[in-house]
Amino acid sequence: MQTFFQYNWMVREQWYEWCGDISEEELLATRIGGVGSILKTLFHIVDVEWSWIQVLQGKPDFQEDFERYKTLQQVRELDAKFHTEVEPFVTAWHEGLEQRIFEDHLPDGRIVTDAWGEVMRHVIAHEIHHVGQLSVWAREIGKPPVSANLIGKGLINSLPGKA
Amino acid sequence: MQTFFQYNWMVREQWYEWCGDISEEELLATRIGGVGSILKTLFHIVDVEWSWIQVLQGKPDFQEDFERYKTLQQVRELDAKFHTEVEPFVTAWHEGLEQRIFEDHLPDGRIVTDAWGEVMRHVIAHEIHHVGQLSVWAREIGKPPVSANLIGKGLINSLPGKA
């Protein structure tokens, strides 16, 4: 589980760097699909990751308003702040939490349950999915997207000497 | 690991159904980003998943040519054929394989190594990333994309009575 989070955090950092070369106008431009702009997508990824990990722990969630985070710097600062809470939870993750139950109380009164292992994978897939959208918009702008490769990042130590 | 593959296979099936309502012209239309068309993306996902799992096992890989798979039916048939080889490998996956070493002999003569656990996660992330691209193109066509939610699919059994 940790490997995927590390991957997402590395790729996200690379997207922030990528955004550094893009005008604010392009970052905020309305685009087709997803949540509608490059910067709003990064904000959404950060918000959703933190929110799920908050609610799993029974901690208060609140919907951050994108209106307050309309610059790359503001999104990065929010991410850094949330990361101090997200990272310890991810690091402490273990097999024994996989089937723990999260009760989701929906606005319409229904209660649905998800295993914690599903919620964590949902968070992982959520980011990769949205980053796929960024890759299309990057090409529309005419700038090569960040690589989505998971291999080659040294995420798992293998010992070549043992091959 | 299995949970993510199950997720990808369910979502892929839903995209095939989604494609059933789209004209062949739209499925093959050249689009910005990714590998360039909706059907070619699905073909590419199927090809890459199978190819990695083949090479991990030291089995022959060959680059299928999209020219031979230009209908939804042909891609689905290729997927069904490959799935009979992919599924047993995924089902048999266990923790002990995580750090096994795969030696990748690159065309330029270099040899790079990846842990098997990295390769498997690369395959998973690869599909989710490309499906994110499909979701943008779906909106361009004006048809809502398949949901990327991992929760709510019953992928992990939790026992609500125990909550």
Side-chain angles (χ1 to χ4, degrees):
Chain A
M1 197 73 87
Q2 282 90 352
T3 307
F4 269 122
F5 277 93
Q6 291 292 347
Y7 161 76
N8 271 342
W9 296 336
M10 286 175 80
V11 172
R12 197 189 303 166
E13 178 60 34
Q14 289 172 357
W15 275 102
Y16 288 143
E17 285 162 24
W18 184 97
C19 287
D21 298 330
I22 305 289
S23 70
E24 199 162 281
E25 196 182 345
E26 284 284 25
L27 292 181
L28 294 172
T30 301
R31 303 186 189 276
I32 295 175
V35 297
S37 83
I38 292 171
L39 197 62
K40 194 171 184 183
T41 299
L42 289 164
F43 166 81
H44 177 64
I45 286 169
V46 167
D47 183 18
V48 164
E49 180 185 70
W50 178 80
S51 293
W52 274 112
I53 284 174
Q54 283 285 105
V55 297
L56 280 188
Q57 298 173 92
K59 292 180 180 174
D61 175 30
F62 59 99
Q63 197 71 35
E64 289 283 344
D65 186 352
F66 182 57
E67 290 304 312
R68 290 181 51 215
Y69 300 93
K70 288 192 134 173
T71 70
L72 178 59
Q73 189 56 29
Q74 285 170 320
V75 171
R76 295 197 70 159
E77 282 169 10
L78 181 71
D79 191 352
K81 189 181 117 195
F82 282 175
H83 193 70
T84 63
E85 301 182 78
V86 166
E87 201 261 346
F89 184 82
V90 170
T91 303
W93 180 264
H94 59 90
E95 188 74 19
L97 302 177
E98 282 283 351
Q99 298 190 40
R100 204 176 271 205
I101 295 157
F102 167 68
E103 275 197 359
D104 202 355
H105 295 252
L106 304 180
D108 64 7
R110 282 184 305 134
I111 299 173
V112 296
T113 59
D114 306 297
W116 281 31
E118 286 173 306
V119 171
M120 292 293 273
R121 287 176 184 80
H122 177 74
V123 169
I124 291 164
H126 179 265
E127 175 153 358
I128 303 171
H129 181 81
H130 279 294
V131 165
Q133 297 171 336
L134 293 183
S135 76
V136 168
W137 297 338
R139 291 289 181 197
E140 285 172 1
I141 294 173
K143 195 168 142 64
V146 170
S147 167
N149 279 351
L150 190 141
I151 50 172
K153 290 184 160 61
L155 289 167
I156 298 179
N157 287 329
S158 56
L159 303 167
K162 295 277 185 68
Chain B
M1 198 74 89
Q2 282 90 353
T3 307
F4 269 122
F5 276 93
Q6 292 291 347
Y7 162 76
N8 271 341
W9 297 335
M10 285 175 80
V11 171
R12 198 189 303 166
E13 177 61 35
Q14 289 173 356
W15 275 102
Y16 287 143
E17 284 162 25
W18 184 97
C19 287
D21 297 330
I22 304 290
S23 72
E24 200 162 279
E25 197 182 345
E26 284 283 25
L27 292 181
L28 294 172
T30 302
R31 302 185 190 278
I32 295 175
V35 296
S37 81
I38 292 171
L39 198 62
K40 195 170 183 183
T41 299
L42 289 164
F43 166 82
H44 176 65
I45 286 169
V46 167
D47 184 17
V48 165
E49 180 186 70
W50 178 81
S51 294
W52 274 113
I53 284 174
Q54 283 287 106
V55 298
L56 280 188
Q57 299 173 91
K59 293 181 179 174
D61 174 30
F62 58 101
Q63 197 70 35
E64 290 283 343
D65 185 352
F66 182 57
E67 289 305 310
R68 290 180 53 215
Y69 299 94
K70 288 193 132 172
T71 69
L72 177 60
Q73 188 56 29
Q74 284 169 322
V75 172
R76 295 198 67 159
E77 282 168 12
L78 182 71
D79 191 353
K81 189 181 117 194
F82 282 175
H83 192 71
T84 63
E85 302 181 78
V86 167
E87 200 262 344
F89 184 82
V90 170
T91 304
W93 180 264
H94 58 90
E95 188 74 18
L97 301 176
E98 283 283 351
Q99 297 192 40
R100 204 177 270 206
I101 293 156
F102 168 68
E103 273 197 0
D104 203 355
H105 295 252
L106 303 181
D108 64 8
R110 283 182 304 133
I111 299 174
V112 295
T113 58
D114 306 297
W116 282 30
E118 285 172 308
V119 172
M120 292 293 272
R121 285 176 185 80
H122 177 73
V123 170
I124 290 165
H126 180 265
E127 175 154 357
I128 303 172
H129 181 80
H130 279 294
V131 165
Q133 297 171 336
L134 293 183
S135 76
V136 168
W137 297 340
R139 291 289 181 195
E140 283 172 3
I141 294 173
K143 196 168 138 68
V146 169
S147 167
N149 281 350
L150 191 142
I151 49 171
K153 289 185 162 59
L155 289 166
I156 297 179
N157 287 328
S158 56
L159 302 168
K162 295 276 186 67

